[in-house]
Amino acid sequence: NVGPDEPIKIRYLVAKVAEACGVAFDDLVENAGERVGQDARYWLDTSAIKLLGWRTEVSLTKGVTGMVEWVKAHPELLTMDTTFRIRP
């Protein structure tokens, strides 16, 4: 899957995650106000990969919902050790 054609606001993405989790946005988020260097949104330029024929196949809503369902099905992964180790 490739990124969206248009940028989205972080607030919008968080609202989608809250909705998929069944949590009210206002119960999940604490507004911290403006700060220097604050980013309102992030957007990856996907034009080059789209020239190769890649297209968005999963909507943001379906992608977020699927991710939340997957995490709910595998809660043990949220508590596993993620320490990086170099093994011989």
Side-chain angles (χ1 to χ4, degrees):
N1 203 35
V2 179
D5 293 326
E6 298 296 324
I8 61 170
K9 293 184 177 188
I10 293 169
R11 181 182 180 93
Y12 178 78
L13 179 58
V14 172
K16 286 288 184 188
V17 172
E19 180 182 325
C21 291
V23 177
F25 179 83
D26 291 332
D27 291 342
L28 181 65
V29 175
E30 178 182 327
N31 265 332
E34 298 294 321
R35 60 181 167 76
V36 175
Q38 178 176 349
D39 298 318
R41 64 182 175 199
Y42 299 98
W43 187 40
L44 298 175
D45 181 358
T46 58
S47 59
I49 198 167
K50 287 180 179 178
L51 289 173
L52 298 173
W54 288 73
R55 298 285 177 257
T56 300
E57 295 182 359
V58 177
S59 71
L60 179 65
T61 300
K62 284 185 179 181
V64 168
T65 300
M67 181 268 310
V68 168
E69 289 172 358
W70 186 87
V71 170
K72 285 180 178 179
H74 303 89
E76 70 283 359
L77 297 177
L78 295 175
T79 57
M80 66 186 279
D81 181 14
T82 59
T83 305
F84 178 76
R85 294 181 185 88
I86 297 177
R87 297 188 175 120

